[in-house]
Amino acid sequence: RGPSVLGTKVDEPDAGEEEEEEAAGDDGAPEGEAAGDAGEGGDDGACALEDMDDWGEMYANPLHVRFTQDKIHPFFYRRGPIVNVLPKIRPVMRMGDDELDDGTLEDGEAVVELVPPFSPIHCLRKGEELWSLDNRRLYAMQLAAMELWPQPCRIRLLCRDRLPRHKLKTQYRKFKTTSEGTAVNICARYQQFDTWSWFDRAVEVEWFTLSQRIGSLLLAFEVVPVVGALLFRTGLTGFASRAPLVAGFVLAFCLDLLRQRVPAIERRLAELHVQAIIDGEVSPWSPGWRRVRQAAFRLWGGEEDPNAGPMSPLQVSAAMVVALLLLLPYTLGVARARLRSSLLSIWLGVACVLAVQLGA
């Protein structure tokens, strides 16, 4: 009996069991991958496919590589659980002007290179898609990449366009994915532990971050009218009555209730944001703005969320829509006609620009 995973005892794969299950074509069987040296007898068959000269070396984001199986074993052969390998994967920052750069980065471009304790993943290239032959290693690398999300990462791969003819029978059986290689089940025999999809994990992270940001905005607009109502008799609010304050509070409360009752809206925004990050449409924080954020956290206390990266254009537009709706009652409630007209013109101008941007 092997160690426990999520509190459940599982059978650790052995060589005899592996050969028997491979002969039966069980996708849930171990692939024979080892987390150590490639020369050990328990290493995976992919490492012994061909000589190194027959594989082309390349660098790619591990999140862009697809699984070829629906199920993988939660253990490396003779190496224990896959999750125990994660602390051994070293993140190394590479710059485009670094002496160690292989020329794949532009000048000034930064990326985190993940250096694993095992040999590179072997992949097959189908057009622009990369399909992994070492699915458990890919799972480990994707876990490591998600710990650094949303920072871009890359790993070293060995790639070729087709399998050697004498290896078609042993390796082609792995191509049984039904999720287009985007998800994989972590299971051992009849025990299901987890279903992994880096996209779903990234959506959860970005959904939580977006929910916090929108929630903070709505909370501010729920507190402001209460403070304004207390200061109304002093004449500092600039309103002729309390109606704008009441309308603003009710509107903020209704929007907050709507986002809690219909979470699909925020989730869809998070999905589009994740896709924008993968497509390179979201730029990282500038060094100056990062220093300002760090100073603010030191001043007000609290810890900065490492996963809270910049907002995509769509998220910025959504936040602007919410802010414009919340500002409308206060704009219409200003007592001075000239000031109210000026503020309303500004509001309409921003709304028109936002509408054109969303329409494009």
Side-chain angles (χ1 to χ4, degrees):
R1 306 293 290 180
S4 61
V5 177
L6 301 180
T8 305
K9 286 284 187 178
V10 298
D11 292 328
E12 190 165 0
D14 54 66
E17 174 186 334
E18 180 181 355
E19 294 175 358
E20 179 182 354
E21 291 180 338
E22 282 188 1
D26 182 8
D27 285 345
E31 300 170 41
E33 299 174 15
D37 298 332
E40 293 190 13
D43 203 3
D44 56 281
C47 292
L49 284 175
E50 286 288 307
D51 294 333
M52 294 293 291
D53 295 338
D54 295 331
W55 295 86
E57 181 180 293
M58 65 175 298
Y59 287 87
N61 191 326
L63 305 181
H64 293 169
V65 184
R66 298 173 181 263
F67 294 98
T68 52
Q69 290 181 292
D70 273 338
K71 298 181 291 183
I72 60 174
H73 198 278
F75 284 74
F76 280 121
Y77 179 60
R78 292 180 179 175
R79 295 289 175 173
I82 296 176
V83 293
N84 289 355
V85 180
L86 298 184
K88 302 178 183 179
I89 299 177
R90 297 184 296 109
V92 180
M93 181 64 68
R94 300 293 190 199
M95 300 293 294
D97 51 359
D98 195 339
E99 294 181 356
L100 299 178
D101 178 44
D102 59 348
T104 59
L105 299 177
E106 298 179 359
D107 291 342
E109 183 181 0
V111 67
V112 177
E113 181 176 337
L114 300 177
V115 182
F118 42 75
S119 56
I121 297 174
H122 291 72
C123 295
L124 286 183
R125 182 170 40 231
K126 301 289 185 179
E128 297 182 355
E129 297 177 352
L130 295 173
W131 295 84
S132 172
L133 298 177
D134 306 323
N135 291 283
R136 280 178 290 174
R137 296 185 182 188
L138 176 60
Y139 171 57
M141 299 304 286
Q142 288 191 356
L143 286 175
M146 284 308 304
E147 290 183 355
L148 300 174
W149 177 268
Q151 287 184 298
C153 299
R154 73 174 187 179
I155 58 174
R156 178 171 169 262
L157 302 173
L158 297 179
C159 185
R160 63 183 300 165
D161 293 332
R162 62 181 62 185
L163 284 171
R165 182 175 300 177
H166 65 282
K167 289 295 182 179
L168 285 175
K169 183 177 180 180
T170 57
Q171 295 296 324
Y172 195 74
R173 66 176 182 83
K174 294 184 178 181
F175 289 82
K176 295 183 178 180
T177 178
T178 58
S179 61
E180 297 183 353
T182 59
V184 67
N185 295 314
I186 316 301
C187 57
R189 291 188 180 273
Y190 304 106
Q191 298 173 328
Q192 176 76 28
F193 297 108
D194 191 16
T195 298
W196 168 257
S197 171
W198 71 264
F199 187 83
D200 291 343
R201 173 57 182 159
V203 169
E204 291 178 2
V205 173
E206 295 299 337
W207 187 3
F208 176 77
T209 302
L210 177 63
S211 180
Q212 281 191 322
R213 289 170 172 171
I214 299 297
S216 300
L217 178 63
L218 293 174
L219 178 62
F221 276 91
E222 290 174 358
V223 172
V224 165
V226 175
V227 176
L230 297 176
L231 299 177
F232 176 74
R233 290 188 176 276
T234 63
L236 298 176
T237 60
F239 300 129
S241 66
R242 292 188 178 90
L245 300 173
V246 175
F249 178 82
V250 172
L251 182 59
F253 179 81
C254 291
L255 289 177
D256 197 4
L257 183 63
L258 176 64
R259 77 181 186 91
Q260 295 181 26
R261 293 296 181 89
V262 189
I265 300 176
E266 287 186 351
R267 179 176 177 83
R268 181 55 180 168
L269 289 174
E271 291 176 352
L272 295 175
H273 178 66
V274 170
Q275 190 60 48
I277 293 177
I278 295 299
D279 294 340
E281 299 177 0
V282 180
S283 301
W285 297 120
S286 63
W289 178 246
R290 187 180 297 275
R291 286 193 292 269
V292 171
R293 285 172 53 86
Q294 293 174 352
F297 277 102
R298 286 195 298 267
L299 180 62
W300 296 330
E303 296 182 357
E304 183 178 5
D305 186 1
N307 296 321
M311 300 177 68
S312 62
L314 183 60
Q315 284 190 339
V316 173
S317 300
M320 287 295 297
V321 169
V322 174
L324 287 175
L325 289 176
L326 295 174
L327 288 172
L328 183 58
Y330 304 103
T331 302
L332 297 176
V334 175
R336 296 182 180 180
R338 183 174 298 180
L339 179 59
R340 181 173 63 249
S341 177
S342 300
L343 293 177
L344 186 59
S345 298
I346 296 174
W347 189 94
L348 290 174
V350 174
C352 290
V353 172
L354 187 59
V356 171
Q357 182 179 0
L358 291 176

